[in-house]
Amino acid sequence: MRDLAEAAARAAAEKAARQSYGKLVAYLAAGTRDVAGAEDALAEAFAEALRRWPKAGIPDRPEAWLLAVARRRGIDAARRRATASAGQAHLELLAEEAEADMHGHHIPDERLRLMFVCAHPAIDPAVRAPLMLQTVFGLNAAAIARAFLVPPATMSQRLVRAKGRIRDAGIPFHVPEQNDFGDRLDTVLEAIYAAYSTGWADPAGTDAQRRDLAEEAIWLGRVAVALMPGEAEALGLLALMLHAESRNRARRDASGDFVPLADQDCGLWDISMIDEAEQILTRAGQSGTIGRFQIEAAIQSAHAARRLTGETDWPAIRQFYEMLAVLSPSPVVDINRAAALAETGNALAALDLLDSLAGDPKLAGYQPYFAARAAVLEKLGRSADAGEAYTRAIALEQDPALRRFLDRRRDRLTV
Amino acid sequence: MRYMLLIYGNENAMGSAPPEAVTKMSAAYSIYTQAMKDAGAFLAGDRLQPTRLATSVRTAGGKPNVIDGPYADTKEQLAGFYMIEAPDLDAAISWASRCPGAERGTIEVRPVWELQAG
């Protein structure tokens, strides 16, 4: 019995953590500017919940409970530090607590404000998106390091330094005026997309935290569009995520095996989500400014058109990737551009392009590079080389379904 | 919060500027300083003599080691400073970006390390 109660309490605390982590961090930090302090206070509140809830039962509003405990911890910590500035924050916190006790039902959503803090020009550009992933989405430093192809120790150090800077340099918590956005909006959108991609990489939904991440990213994408309805790239990003999400059920077959986009059953796609994505992309197009996310959404839109025409318009997709390579160049764009080249009868040019990337140390451990290379070599009839590339890709992939898929591709090569 | 605005510029260029330019710059600085005072942001501020008048001091084993010249030879030199009171970094950056010296040189914005209240 005790084990059951404990498991239930743990599950409830973990659920609350996933659903409200970013919201609570943002709300706590908005008053004090102390992001690391907010995270610490919240971590203590979660530990307290795991101790108390099995005995006392799960409270009606776990989020409000966690906030109240985290606040008390935050005040204690502020007392301990007792610096002049922390003392001020302490007073503000006390005032807020009194206020929250009076009508403590509504916790305002400060996440977008926190995201703009993380994207402030006084923060090292390389750490802006990782900082958002940690503070707003609750990803741990190791997972972020993997996503950004940086050693975990380096990433942790950068994150700690950036949080110190927010507190000590006095970076304010507010969403800037539209003409002061500068690069900050791009950084915010990039982080939302990185969160979505991390969640999307777990299609089976076995890892609940990651599944929530994709939903949360789409939700934040909607918040961004609602707050900045005139921003074409915010619209582009939302359209891109909805297109990807619409194929969620088609990405695995009945036995859990990976199904590549080109072989997916269009009947399994979520048509209403595709329709919404198309409407949003059209709205973005009316603004007259083009950007990375709109082009990426247009690529997904071209893939989605297969449900109407029966075939994929590869020449259009190739053109979009060529635009992307100019507008927002990256090795990942080039890998996709190479795949599109190969699909439009230019396998040799595709191989040249992939060869030109071979020296990039970031790609040495990047599975999609070797899988793309293998597919191009296969098209060129160079089975032995293709087999080697598949072997390398398989060794780098962690997802068993993708490994099985790559395995089958390797087996079908005629050596 | 208190912030220090450190004004860096090329003092050779400033030294060889024509008199009209110097007059214009001085006028710009008095307007700027007055604006800071009117806004209640000004705490202190002054222009410094050029680095040829600088003396650098270190102590080694209790003995002062005195060297003529600035601490570091740089392309741009510290030419003046303001100490301001600002609600946050954005407000401090906004003051820094309006500083007449920002057009030719660089304004470094540094929060003050506040002492413990007790």
Side-chain angles (χ1 to χ4, degrees):
Chain A
M1 267 317 279
R2 222 180 118 210
D3 287 354
L4 263 179
E6 244 179 64
R10 193 164 288 275
E14 276 165 7
K15 192 166 165 238
R18 282 200 307 273
Q19 290 177 342
S20 51
Y21 181 85
K23 205 175 157 189
L24 291 176
V25 168
Y27 183 59
L28 283 165
T32 60
R33 286 182 195 149
D34 188 355
V35 176
E39 288 175 330
D40 290 347
L42 207 51
E44 284 187 43
F46 280 114
E48 182 75 20
L50 287 179
R51 270 197 299 274
R52 210 175 281 189
W53 294 0
K55 290 179 213 128
I58 298 157
D60 292 342
R61 289 169 31 246
E63 196 175 81
W65 189 96
L66 288 165
L67 179 65
V69 174
R71 268 192 163 140
R72 228 168 294 141
R73 300 284 153 155
I75 291 167
D76 288 347
R79 276 196 196 116
R80 282 198 295 274
R81 276 197 308 275
T83 60
S85 55
Q88 177 58 36
H90 171 199
L91 291 178
E92 281 167 12
L93 222 64
L94 282 177
E96 273 174 15
E97 189 177 39
E99 214 171 358
D101 280 344
M102 277 188 287
H103 34 157
H105 282 273
H106 177 66
I107 301 169
D109 194 343
E110 309 280 21
R111 279 182 293 180
L112 208 62
R113 264 166 77 186
L114 179 55
M115 294 192 90
F116 273 99
V117 168
C118 297
H120 195 278
I123 300 282
D124 172 10
V127 79
R128 289 174 197 163
L131 191 58
M132 287 181 224
L133 290 176
Q134 190 182 47
T135 57
V136 179
F137 293 95
L139 275 186
N140 66 37
I144 298 166
R146 264 201 307 281
F148 285 83
L149 310 171
V150 170
T154 312
M155 185 53 84
S156 301
Q157 203 180 24
R158 284 183 191 164
L159 289 166
V160 168
R161 209 178 295 149
K163 281 179 235 170
R165 208 173 159 81
I166 290 171
R167 183 189 62 217
D168 298 330
I171 295 175
F173 272 68
H174 64 73
V175 175
E177 296 296 314
Q178 194 132 354
N179 46 5
D180 289 336
F181 275 164
D183 299 335
R184 289 168 83 177
L185 178 65
D186 292 345
T187 315
V188 168
L189 298 180
E190 193 195 316
I192 293 176
Y193 187 50
Y196 180 77
S197 306
T198 308
W200 192 77
D202 178 46
T206 45
D207 182 341
Q209 182 165 11
R210 287 219 257 167
R211 190 66 240 134
D212 286 354
L213 213 52
E215 280 166 24
E216 213 162 289
I218 290 179
W219 194 83
L220 269 180
R222 290 189 192 279
V223 172
V225 164
L227 278 176
M228 304 170 284
E231 283 299 331
E233 277 294 271
L235 290 163
L237 171 62
L238 183 55
L240 169 60
M241 292 192 293
L242 288 171
H243 264 306
E245 197 63 19
S246 73
R247 301 184 200 123
N248 196 30
R249 281 189 304 151
R251 295 157 64 204
R252 292 289 188 269
D253 65 16
S255 51
D257 274 336
F258 172 75
V259 185
L261 179 49
D263 300 339
Q264 281 174 15
D265 172 5
C266 310
L268 292 174
W269 291 350
D270 184 330
I271 301 300
S272 67
M273 225 181 256
I274 294 175
D275 286 345
E276 191 191 355
E278 293 291 303
Q279 281 170 23
I280 291 169
L281 188 58
T282 307
R283 241 175 89 194
Q286 286 158 354
S287 75
T289 53
I290 193 73
R292 174 212 163 172
F293 288 118
Q294 291 170 76
I295 297 174
E296 292 208 36
I299 291 167
Q300 297 313 315
S301 170
H303 279 296
R306 179 163 66 84
R307 78 192 189 283
L308 307 172
T309 62
E311 56 185 322
T312 304
D313 186 355
W314 281 108
I317 291 170
R318 190 182 126 187
Q319 274 188 333
F320 285 134
Y321 276 118
E322 275 159 9
M323 282 166 79
L324 260 186
V326 174
L327 202 70
S328 159
S330 83
V332 176
V333 168
D334 279 340
I335 291 168
N336 284 305
R337 187 156 67 96
L341 275 169
E343 290 292 343
T344 49
N346 296 281
L348 268 176
L351 188 61
D352 279 349
L353 179 56
L354 290 172
D355 278 342
S356 72
L357 301 173
D360 192 331
K362 280 184 174 177
L363 296 181
Y366 191 62
Q367 178 272 111
Y369 173 74
F370 293 97
R373 215 184 144 76
V376 169
L377 287 164
E378 186 180 351
K379 263 199 164 49
L380 289 167
R382 288 169 55 181
S383 297
D385 293 336
E388 255 176 59
Y390 276 128
T391 303
R392 183 102 186 247
I394 293 162
L396 291 169
E397 182 54 57
Q398 290 180 356
D399 181 347
L402 264 174
R403 288 174 66 117
R404 284 197 299 276
F405 168 77
L406 292 167
D407 239 353
R408 280 196 303 276
R409 284 280 150 112
R410 184 176 56 182
D411 288 348
R412 80 174 185 190
L413 292 170
T414 46
V415 184
Chain B
M1 289 176 74
R2 286 191 298 162
Y3 290 89
M4 185 84 151
L5 309 186
L6 299 160
I7 303 162
Y8 287 89
N10 185 324
E11 60 185 24
N12 286 336
M14 279 189 277
S16 59
E20 315 88 75
V22 173
T23 317
K24 234 173 123 181
M25 196 56 135
S26 301
Y29 265 108
S30 19
I31 293 167
Y32 177 65
T33 308
Q34 194 55 49
M36 268 187 178
K37 286 179 177 165
D38 292 346
F42 180 89
L43 297 174
D46 269 306
R47 182 178 178 185
L48 301 177
Q49 294 282 1
T51 51
R52 68 184 160 78
L53 294 173
T55 309
S56 297
V57 182
R58 264 172 196 276
T59 55
K63 284 185 196 158
N65 179 14
V66 179
I67 300 165
D68 71 312
Y71 162 60
D73 273 319
T74 48
K75 251 194 251 163
E76 294 187 319
Q77 297 81 18
L78 183 62
F81 69 92
Y82 283 96
M83 174 82 85
I84 63 167
E85 178 64 41
D88 54 47
L89 181 62
D90 280 359
I93 289 173
S94 165
W95 279 116
S97 62
R98 278 174 284 165
C99 177
E103 226 166 290
R104 294 271 166 82
T106 304
I107 316 298
E108 185 176 316
V109 180
R110 295 269 291 267
V112 170
W113 191 306
E114 301 291 357
L115 289 178
Q116 295 203 349

